Amino acid sequence: MAEGPSLWRRLWGEGSGPSVARVYHRLLALVFLAAFWSLGVQLDVLIGSRGLLPAAEFLEMVRGRPDLGFWDAPTLFWDDPSDAMLRLGIHAGVLMSLLALLGVLPRLMWALLVPLYLSYVVLCGTFLSFQWDNLLLESAFLAVFLPRRYRSVLVPLLFRVLLFKLYWESGLAKWQSHLRDWHDGSAMTVYYETAPLPTWLAWHAHHLPEAWHHIESWFAVGFELVVPWLFFGPRPGRLFAFVVITGFQLV
């Protein structure tokens, strides 16, 4: 009599296969390509020698303090934050992103891209201190260990943990807001005016009925605190979470 699937497989599934890993690596490469390209366009204005937060001045300040060292501001440009080196790093990031996109040693590319992008995150300070910058670094770090030739269970599980952390922390931040605007449902009444990079659709969304904005507020908190737990359940729950999260992101 054939044995049924183990409890582990019923809960966590069979893991991701090589084809999924290859698609993920290429999609992540596109994101990194856009990130480095975008940063390169703004580099001189942000952290260039005549920028808003010159990298050289920042590192000079860090090196001049006896209580701070390399690990307080880990960057590959510690010894040479010149404009030429900063631009060279951007070119290297674009090149490695392209190589990863083409499938050329992608796991090695991620191992090199993580410290390179981290270097710019450190130097750019406020400009790259958003949630998605950390998410890029964490996703690329896990991509280093995602095999492309055999099925993996552990690494995809770590990606689920990362996704859970992203949404759970967002929900906690809303729930713990001292304004209590997510509790009373008023948060979304102003969200479309204040959210980062609002699109032209935001104007129309902002003028929806106030009652709808209250529903949006309560749903967002409930969604981010409840749905992520389904990431660790059986496959039907994970598929449901996938549909809900995809719809949430599109909206």
Side-chain angles (χ1 to χ4, degrees), residues 192-193 198-209 212-213 216:
Y192 296 104
E193 291 182 310
T199 67
W200 63 270
L201 289 172
W203 186 92
H204 299 282
H206 175 70
H207 288 84
L208 291 172
W212 172 253
H213 290 314
E216 286 181 312

Side-chain angles (χ1 to χ4, degrees), residues 21 41 52 56 58 67 78 84 105 110 135 161 168 184 207 213 247:
V41 173
L52 297 171
F58 169 71
D67 59 324
W78 179 266
L105 301 174
W110 300 127
L135 183 61
V161 173
W168 178 253
D184 62 23
H207 288 84
H213 290 314

Side-chain angles (χ1 to χ4, degrees), residues 2-14 153 234 238:
E3 295 183 1
S6 65
L7 177 62
W8 172 273
R9 289 187 176 182
R10 288 200 302 271
L11 288 178
W12 308 119
E14 299 290 339
V153 175
R238 299 199 303 272

Side-chain angles (χ1 to χ4, degrees), residues 69-85:
F70 175 81
W71 294 111
D72 294 293
T75 174
L76 298 176
F77 305 103
W78 179 266
D79 294 319
D80 186 1
S82 64
D83 291 350
M85 283 301 296

Side-chain angles (χ1 to χ4, degrees), residues 2-76:
E3 295 183 1
S6 65
L7 177 62
W8 172 273
R9 289 187 176 182
R10 288 200 302 271
L11 288 178
W12 308 119
E14 299 290 339
S16 297
S19 59
V20 173
R22 295 189 184 102
V23 170
Y24 175 78
H25 279 160
R26 283 184 165 83
L27 291 177
L28 186 61
L30 281 175
V31 175
F32 263 86
L33 180 60
F36 274 105
W37 192 280
S38 174
L39 181 57
V41 173
Q42 308 171 74
L43 188 69
D44 291 340
V45 176
L46 296 182
I47 60 173
S49 58
R50 301 179 63 183
L52 297 171
L53 182 64
E57 293 182 12
F58 169 71
L59 288 178
E60 183 179 0
M61 181 273 295
V62 174
R63 289 193 294 260
R65 290 182 52 177
D67 59 324
L68 297 178
F70 175 81
W71 294 111
D72 294 293
T75 174
L76 298 176

